[in-house]
Amino acid sequence: MPTWPGYETCKIAYSLRTRSAKIAAARARRAADQLDEYWYHLRSQDAALPGMHRLRLGNVGASTQPSAAPEPVSGTAKLSEAVGIYLRLKGKDRPVTFHRGAERSCGYVIDVCGDKDLMAYTKADANRFRDSLMERGLTGSSISRIFGTVRSIINFVASELGVIMTNPFGKVYFDRSAGVKDRNPLPDDALRKVQSECQHLDDDLRWLVKTDASKREPPSAPFLCAPMPWRLRRKRSCALAGCIL
DNA sequence: CACAGTACAGACCTCTCTTT
DNA sequence: AAAGAGAGGTCTGTACTGTG
């Protein structure tokens, strides 16, 4: 069987990192378009290879490393270039989640609206982006977070490049409380039960619960009366109890 | 000054994919 | 098949800024 041009295989298979058929179709289409484009230019240049993970952004392969900023090719910059600039200038010594979040959020925009010059995005693009996130079933808080990241990147890079623009991703209306649920803390009796079980089993792992608590609160009270880890969150408590008990 | 909005950081979770 | 790694989603909190 013939192999694909530039590849030592007859097929390219990789995860599209989604369970949504709609998103998968969009990403597959985009990858196919990139392959077409790549093969078209194959004889004349060594283009960035499709068939790799994270095709959406120009700085492919930098998700866990601070991204190198591509030079802007126009008056401002494309969104993918803006992400590179943003991460180069603001991403130093920032956690990997900061880089991932920036790339993921802008990747979503590129998936839906394309990789345009910052000045070329319109309110219609922003609204379409909002609608696509809502169609995916994201909650208001997640949409808010994604928009916040995109907005801040565009604002920062526009400022860096000396461009005065109205960010179309600002002041986009959506229900920020849609689908948002409260996270209630574990009731006190449940926490006491965990403590009690830990004391009953009395081994090294169980005492980690006390160690964790003692980092935050002076161990002034006996174990059973000691407060649980300071502001220990409900899910963390569950995980802790689930792992240790 | 109070409040809303913005721009994050961080913790924790589920799910998928890869490796063993 | 199990374990581990990584991606992505959710919620909460803080600091700061703009506005009425």
Side-chain angles (χ1 to χ4, degrees):
Chain A
M1 195 177 284
T3 60
W4 287 25
Y7 295 82
E8 294 181 354
T9 178
C10 59
K11 68 173 184 178
I12 298 168
Y14 62 94
S15 169
L16 292 165
R17 289 276 166 202
T18 179
R19 284 189 297 165
S20 160
K22 195 170 179 179
I23 297 168
R27 290 181 183 173
R29 249 195 325 274
R30 183 167 173 76
D33 288 345
Q34 284 189 289
L35 284 167
D36 287 343
E37 191 68 17
Y38 169 62
W39 291 332
Y40 180 77
H41 291 290
L42 196 59
R43 291 183 202 89
S44 58
Q45 61 185 355
D46 185 18
L49 287 176
M52 295 166 68
H53 289 11
R54 292 184 217 87
L55 291 167
R56 294 171 299 195
L57 299 172
N59 47 351
V60 168
S63 65
T64 58
Q65 300 292 327
S67 303
E71 288 302 314
V73 295
S74 60
T76 59
K78 286 186 172 184
L79 183 55
S80 59
E81 295 167 338
V83 175
I85 293 168
Y86 180 79
L87 291 177
R88 178 170 60 82
L89 296 175
K90 293 195 85 174
K92 269 184 186 166
D93 301 324
R94 303 297 273 272
V96 67
T97 50
F98 177 84
H99 291 258
R100 279 198 214 133
E103 291 177 348
R104 184 168 62 238
S105 298
C106 290
Y108 292 158
V109 176
I110 292 170
D111 279 347
V112 174
C113 307
D115 188 13
K116 299 184 191 177
D117 188 283
L118 295 187
M119 298 287 278
Y121 286 108
T122 63
K123 201 70 181 176
D125 286 324
N127 290 342
R128 192 149 50 91
F129 181 51
R130 170 201 60 199
D131 293 343
S132 75
L133 295 177
M134 290 170 73
E135 280 171 20
R136 286 170 56 185
L138 268 65
T139 64
S141 63
S142 290
I143 294 173
S144 175
R145 184 168 166 75
I146 291 168
F147 261 91
T149 303
V150 172
R151 206 166 37 227
S152 62
I153 290 170
I154 291 176
N155 286 342
F156 177 80
V157 174
S159 167
E160 269 301 302
L161 299 176
V163 174
I164 297 169
M165 62 178 284
T166 302
N167 189 340
F169 291 88
K171 297 192 173 111
V172 175
Y173 173 77
F174 56 90
D175 183 0
R176 280 155 175 80
S177 63
V180 175
K181 288 174 258 175
D182 277 348
R183 288 184 177 184
N184 298 319
L186 276 177
D188 285 350
D189 56 342
L191 299 180
R192 288 204 171 81
K193 190 172 181 185
V194 171
Q195 290 179 322
S196 173
E197 290 291 334
C198 287
Q199 190 185 34
H200 176 68
L201 290 166
D202 191 23
D203 62 15
D204 291 349
L205 280 176
R206 248 56 60 163
W207 281 96
L208 283 174
V209 177
K210 179 173 167 55
T211 305
D212 193 23
S214 65
K215 282 179 189 166
R216 295 167 175 81
E217 298 280 351
S220 53
F223 178 70
L224 271 176
C225 302
M228 279 298 284
W230 181 66
R231 287 167 64 186
L232 188 63
R233 290 189 182 165
R234 179 174 143 263
K235 288 180 182 175
R236 195 175 174 191
S237 307
C238 292
L240 192 61
C243 288
I244 293 176
L245 288 176

